[in-house]
Amino acid sequence: MELVGEEKKIQTLFSELRLADERTAPSFSATWNRAQARALRPRRAFNLSFVGATALLVCALVSLALWSSHWHQSAQPSVATSISSNKTPPTSAILTPPGNNRDTKNSSSAGRHSEASARLRANRLAARRETRLLAALRKEATAISSWQSPTATLLSSPNDELLKSLPQLNENVNELKSFLPNKPK
């Protein structure tokens, strides 16, 4: 088969391109030797960035745990106070001005009275919060219980009663034919 001028030109361009590729491509033996040398080198057990990320994560978890325990301890006394104040009724005492320290008996009873009134206010506030929370929970529960799917009407059809009921065996053939599709003859 003889090559025409145009085909010879294309063939020479391809051979030049192949030679250029051979010059720029690395040799197989050099690549193979580098890969084997890399496999023989010992790898570091820990990557520095992995160690840093792990240390940062551990610090974040420890600080979160400390913050959580501190927050839990600071929230616990107020709950304990409101629970204990519900069990003990407030005591009534004689009111004296806080600056009057002439009689120690009156000042101590005024301190007890102010503590009792503070407990009473805390109890009332807790009761209000609980009432509001219960009202919100009831409202959400009724909203959830009355929820209906927006696509429920799309899934229903006028023939649902036919599809959900079964024919009785004591019905006659003409009534049973009403369940079958009509076949044109």
Side-chain angles (χ1 to χ4, degrees), residues 155-165 178-179:
L155 297 175
S156 64
S157 73
N159 296 327
D160 277 347
E161 293 175 15
L162 290 175
L163 297 173
K164 292 180 181 176
S165 66
S178 69
F179 288 100

Side-chain angles (χ1 to χ4, degrees), residues 3 5 10 12 14 21 24 37 41 44-45 48-51 60 66 72 77 99 102 115 127 131 162 165 173 176:
L3 297 176
I10 292 172
T12 57
F14 273 117
D21 283 344
T24 57
R41 258 190 292 159
R44 284 194 291 189
L48 188 59
S49 62
F50 177 72
V51 170
L66 291 174
H72 185 63
R102 290 182 201 147
E115 288 175 14
T131 309
L162 290 175
S165 66
V173 175
L176 290 176

Side-chain angles (χ1 to χ4, degrees), residues 24-41 43:
T24 57
S27 69
F28 175 75
S29 60
T31 307
W32 181 256
N33 291 335
R34 276 194 310 258
Q36 284 183 338
R38 223 180 274 150
L40 295 176
R41 258 190 292 159
R43 291 186 178 178

Side-chain angles (χ1 to χ4, degrees), residues 47-127:
N47 190 1
L48 188 59
S49 62
F50 177 72
V51 170
T54 305
L56 185 63
L57 182 64
V58 167
C59 289
L61 289 175
V62 167
S63 63
L64 181 66
L66 291 174
W67 177 77
S68 175
S69 66
H70 174 69
W71 179 78
H72 185 63
Q73 287 173 355
S74 66
Q76 213 169 21
S78 64
V79 172
T81 304
S82 67
I83 291 172
S84 66
S85 63
N86 286 340
K87 293 180 182 176
T88 59
T91 59
S92 59
I94 302 171
L95 278 175
T96 58
N100 190 359
N101 290 331
R102 290 182 201 147
D103 189 7
T104 57
K105 187 184 249 185
N106 285 344
S107 65
S108 65
S109 66
R112 279 186 265 145
H113 181 68
S114 64
E115 288 175 14
S117 63
R119 286 183 192 157
L120 184 62
R121 275 184 266 146
N123 288 343
R124 288 180 184 164
L125 181 62

Side-chain angles (χ1 to χ4, degrees), residues 138-159:
R138 283 188 194 118
K139 185 177 179 182
E140 288 178 12
T142 56
I144 289 172
S145 65
S146 65
W147 182 84
Q148 291 183 359
S149 171
T151 59
T153 57
L154 299 174
L155 297 175
S156 64
S157 73
N159 296 327

